[in-house]
């Protein structure tokens, strides 16, 4: 346990931020999982709509500092490529 007033405050802040980051990361993982399930089921329309719901969630997670902005961009790019590969050409 912290002994100084400033260290106690830092401990409180760390706990709040950890919970907030966990909540944001969990929401992001759930959104990605929805895409994964749609891809596994072979449902193109469901995968597209899940991707459209997931992109803002991933961006928000990055803007809050939970994940790095380039990590978010990489996740979005890879998911988009996977969903687009489902589409028949033409």
């Amino acid at each position: 346990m912290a002994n100084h007033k400033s260290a106690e405050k830092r401990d409180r802040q760390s706990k709040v931020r950890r919970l907030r980051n966990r909540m944001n990361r969990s929401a992001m993982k759930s959104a990605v999982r929805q895409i994964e399930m749609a891809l596994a089921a072979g449902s193109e329309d469901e995968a597209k709509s899940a991707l459209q719901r997931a992109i803002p969630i991933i961006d928000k997670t990055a803007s809050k500092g939970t994940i790095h902005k380039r990590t978010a961009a990489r996740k979005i790019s890879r998911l988009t490529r996977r969903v687009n590969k489902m589409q028949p050409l033409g």
Side-chain angles (χ1 to χ4, degrees):
M1 186 61 198
N3 292 322
H4 295 282
K5 196 170 186 178
S6 60
E8 290 171 354
K9 180 178 178 181
R10 175 63 57 201
D11 185 51
R12 286 194 310 270
Q13 289 175 327
S14 294
K15 287 176 183 173
V16 169
R17 288 177 180 150
R18 182 179 64 83
L19 292 174
R20 189 179 302 132
N21 286 339
R22 180 191 278 180
M23 182 183 69
N24 289 335
R25 189 175 285 119
S26 176
M28 180 187 72
K29 284 181 174 184
S30 295
V32 171
R33 204 173 301 119
Q34 293 295 318
I35 298 171
E36 300 282 348
M37 290 187 339
L39 289 171
S43 173
E44 184 181 332
D45 293 334
E46 195 175 322
K48 283 182 179 180
S49 64
L51 179 66
Q52 292 304 311
R53 288 190 307 268
I55 288 174
I57 294 171
I58 295 170
D59 281 335
K60 180 181 175 185
T61 305
S63 72
K64 299 293 182 188
T66 303
I67 60 171
H68 195 273
K69 64 179 184 176
R70 289 192 184 126
T71 303
R74 184 173 64 244
K75 282 183 181 297
I76 291 170
S77 174
R78 288 177 180 175
L79 289 169
T80 303
R81 263 191 303 168
R82 287 180 62 194
V83 170
N84 287 341
K85 277 186 182 178
M86 282 186 79
Q87 295 178 350
L89 296 175

